[in-house]
Amino acid sequence: MPTTTPVLKTTLPGPRAKAIIDRDTASVSPSYTRSYPLVIERGYGAMVEDVDGNVFLDCAAGIAVNSTGHSHPDVVKAITDQAGRFLHMSGTDFYYEPQVRLAEEIGAVVPIDGGVRSFFGNSGTEAIEASVKLARYSTRRHNIIAFLGGFHGRTLGALALTASKAIQRRGFGPMMAGVYHAPYADCYRCPVGAKPESCAAECLDFLEHQLFVHLVSPDEVAAVVVEPIQGEGGYVVAPAQFLERLRGLTKENGILLVDDEVQSGMGRTGKMFAIEFTGVRPDIVTIAKGIASGLPLGVAAARADIMAWPPGAHASTFGGNPVSCAAALATLKLLKDTLMANAADVGGRLMAGLTALADKHPLIGDVRGRGLMVGVELVRDRKTKERATTERERVVTAAFSRGLLLLGAGKNAIRFSPPLVLTREQADTAVRIFDEALTEVEKGR
Ligand SMILES: Cc1ncc(COP(=O)(O)O)c(C=O)c1O
């Protein structure tokens, strides 16, 4: 019976991992950001075994991707069944049923009013590119508004929207023209000093009374692109009034609202899409990461009357690959049957456990999130909220050395984004190891 808790057999990295990392260093792009030396051999459920036989509890899920856990048997079966029939036929030039069925299923679950059509790509950034092109095409306007702290991908169009870390843009300019940024609703560090109890999303005053007045006429804005929970930006949860006011502003001005659910979607929050915690109905929803349990797939789902571009306007050779579509259909079934509910239930327990840790760990400034999308922001001082950046790295490393896989988000937050199969016992294990890691780092300060 495979273990459901961490088991460490070697020092980290072990000898096999070290040999592979040395080869990687010589041959793979150095632009990747590895926080610790994990070399995976296999995974099952929420557990990952490395090449030296060490077993870890995975609260990173390949950056919030392995929604149904590692190699879920239903997903693997769907993949192998499809792979045995055909691997590729390019859904842009030919027809196949799995792509049609997936478009129908997405249309049934996205929180978009009326009929829905889907465009298929291979990644989150491609879903954003498609949305930006579609918004420009359908409105005949060219400007786009995004938010500071937001992450929307790294291809040159999406990169112009991304405003997460300067290193992601540094050296790659000039950016695509026509993109403006506004402050995001980071309630722990409110950009306008409002109080959560009485907030009316005053952070959007900048967009309405500065951007629209001094820089860009709203009738030339095609779309506002927003994450309902900023992912790479630090698992920052926007309050409902922010998204609702944004919907009001966009509607008034004929601007499309693009809801980027690449990280927050596909059941992770306990609902299929994070925006469903509000009454907001977006015009376009972008999906990737968790949709196919690890196979590459990106989707831009849009109101059918908006997605009315002609043949040849946009396409991708590999987009909507049949094997990815089969994995997505199996993933959607698992999410709807059990895993979304599990994310809500186990997420509540994880959040409670992490919140309780704040009583004994001064490093914890804020615990926030929804379902199994939980962020812990670390600070040096709760009053000044000075960002505990180096401490964050040390906590992530200390957790790894105890068998818990975590990832940073933003400058000083840690994200818990486990597979949605995580059990209550595993959530408790994650909290226990995180507690130990914090203790180690706080002692060493
Ligand atoms: C909200 C959001 N949008 C877009 C992207 C880009 O996705 P990808 O890395 O698949 O291109 C990401 C990736 O982290 C994301 O979190």
Side-chain angles (χ1 to χ4, degrees):
M1 188 61 187
T3 176
T4 54
T5 52
V7 179
L8 297 179
K9 297 181 175 162
T10 70
T11 54
L12 298 172
R16 290 204 168 116
K18 180 156 186 338
I20 292 168
I21 290 166
D22 288 347
R23 285 165 51 206
D24 180 291
T25 305
S27 59
V28 175
S29 167
S31 61
Y32 301 154
T33 48
R34 277 70 170 260
S35 304
Y36 42 79
L38 175 81
V39 183
I40 182 172
E41 172 70 17
R42 64 174 65 84
Y44 51 89
M47 306 307 294
V48 163
E49 188 177 327
D50 80 357
V51 287
D52 295 289
N54 300 299
V55 182
F56 299 84
L57 175 58
D58 186 4
C59 281
I63 331 182
V65 169
N66 299 105
S67 48
T68 56
H70 292 276
S71 299
H72 191 291
D74 293 4
V75 177
V76 171
K77 180 168 186 318
I79 290 170
T80 48
D81 285 355
Q82 178 55 47
R85 285 196 292 274
F86 62 98
L87 291 174
H88 172 80
M89 197 58 201
S90 200
T92 64
D93 286 49
F94 302 94
Y95 300 97
Y96 43 86
E97 200 268 344
Q99 180 169 273
V100 180
R101 192 153 27 110
L102 183 57
E104 290 167 350
E105 296 245 350
I106 288 169
V109 295
V110 283
I112 293 176
D113 286 331
V116 174
R117 283 177 179 269
S118 287
F119 173 89
F120 293 101
N122 306 284
S123 60
T125 201
E126 286 174 74
I128 291 290
E129 297 287 340
S131 301
V132 168
K133 286 178 73 175
L134 180 62
R136 283 184 164 185
Y137 185 88
S138 111
T139 60
R140 304 283 163 182
R141 303 173 176 187
H142 65 280
N143 295 299
I144 308 286
I145 291 173
F147 291 90
L148 295 170
F151 186 92
H152 301 287
R154 295 172 183 270
T155 49
L156 276 171
L159 185 62
L161 276 59
T162 289
S164 182
K165 296 195 177 98
I167 181 76
Q168 293 158 350
R169 296 163 66 97
R170 183 169 172 262
F172 300 125
M175 294 290 143
M176 179 178 78
V179 178
Y180 298 84
H181 289 93
Y184 190 73
D186 180 348
C187 298
Y188 181 62
R189 299 174 182 276
C190 177
V192 293
K195 297 269 165 285
E197 317 79 73
S198 55
C199 155
E202 288 88 350
C203 49
L204 283 173
D205 286 353
F206 177 83
L207 196 161
E208 187 174 2
H209 303 304
Q210 304 288 333
L211 269 189
F212 283 174
V213 173
H214 300 296
L215 283 168
V216 57
S217 178
D219 63 1
E220 288 191 331
V221 176
V224 170
V225 182
V226 67
E227 294 165 89
I229 301 177
Q230 278 192 343
E232 302 306 301
Y235 278 28
V236 181
V237 184
Q241 60 268 37
F242 173 80
L243 295 162
E244 281 157 9
R245 183 172 170 202
L246 195 56
R247 178 69 282 193
L249 276 171
T250 49
K251 253 201 188 129
E252 267 164 41
N253 292 292
I255 298 169
L256 300 180
L257 183 65
V258 180
D259 170 26
D260 185 350
E261 297 268 4
V262 165
Q263 190 146 174
S264 58
M266 303 318 294
R268 172 155 298 285
T269 60
K271 294 191 188 281
M272 193 59 87
F273 297 99
I275 204 146
E276 293 176 72
F277 285 92
T278 74
V280 169
R281 312 288 289 179
D283 301 300
I284 302 176
V285 175
T286 54
I287 307 167
K289 287 199 185 278
I291 187 171
S293 292
L295 263 63
L297 185 66
V299 185
R303 262 175 37 208
D305 60 316
I306 292 170
M307 194 170 273
W309 41 13
H314 194 46
S316 152
T317 299
F318 290 117
N321 170 275
V323 184
S324 296
C325 286
L329 287 164
T331 300
L332 262 167
K333 180 164 176 9
L334 288 164
L335 295 177
K336 287 194 281 191
D337 287 353
T338 53
L339 296 184
M340 226 158 63
N342 190 64
D345 173 47
V346 178
R349 188 170 179 97
L350 179 65
M351 176 80 97
L354 293 172
T355 305
L357 288 186
D359 291 340
K360 59 190 266 211
H361 292 293
L363 259 181
I364 296 182
D366 193 30
V367 181
R368 60 205 175 213
R370 294 195 193 280
L372 285 172
M373 183 170 191
V374 182
V376 180
E377 181 160 345
L378 302 186
V379 292
R380 294 196 178 129
D381 179 317
R382 283 190 184 161
K383 272 220 176 79
T384 64
K385 300 184 181 174
E386 186 190 348
R387 295 178 190 272
T389 48
T390 47
E391 293 87 341
R392 190 274 300 277
E393 301 308 326
R394 282 160 48 209
V395 171
V396 169
T397 306
F400 171 66
S401 69
R402 289 170 169 78
L404 175 64
L405 305 182
L406 294 171
L407 279 174
K411 285 201 195 96
N412 57 315
I414 291 176
R415 73 183 110 178
F416 288 74
S417 59
L420 309 185
V421 294
L422 195 81
T423 62
R424 291 179 138 229
E425 294 69 33
Q426 287 173 324
D428 294 347
T429 303
V431 171
R432 177 180 54 76
I433 298 177
F434 190 58
D435 182 9
E436 290 169 15
L438 285 165
T439 303
E440 177 187 315
V441 173
E442 283 170 348
K443 263 197 199 134
R445 281 209 290 169

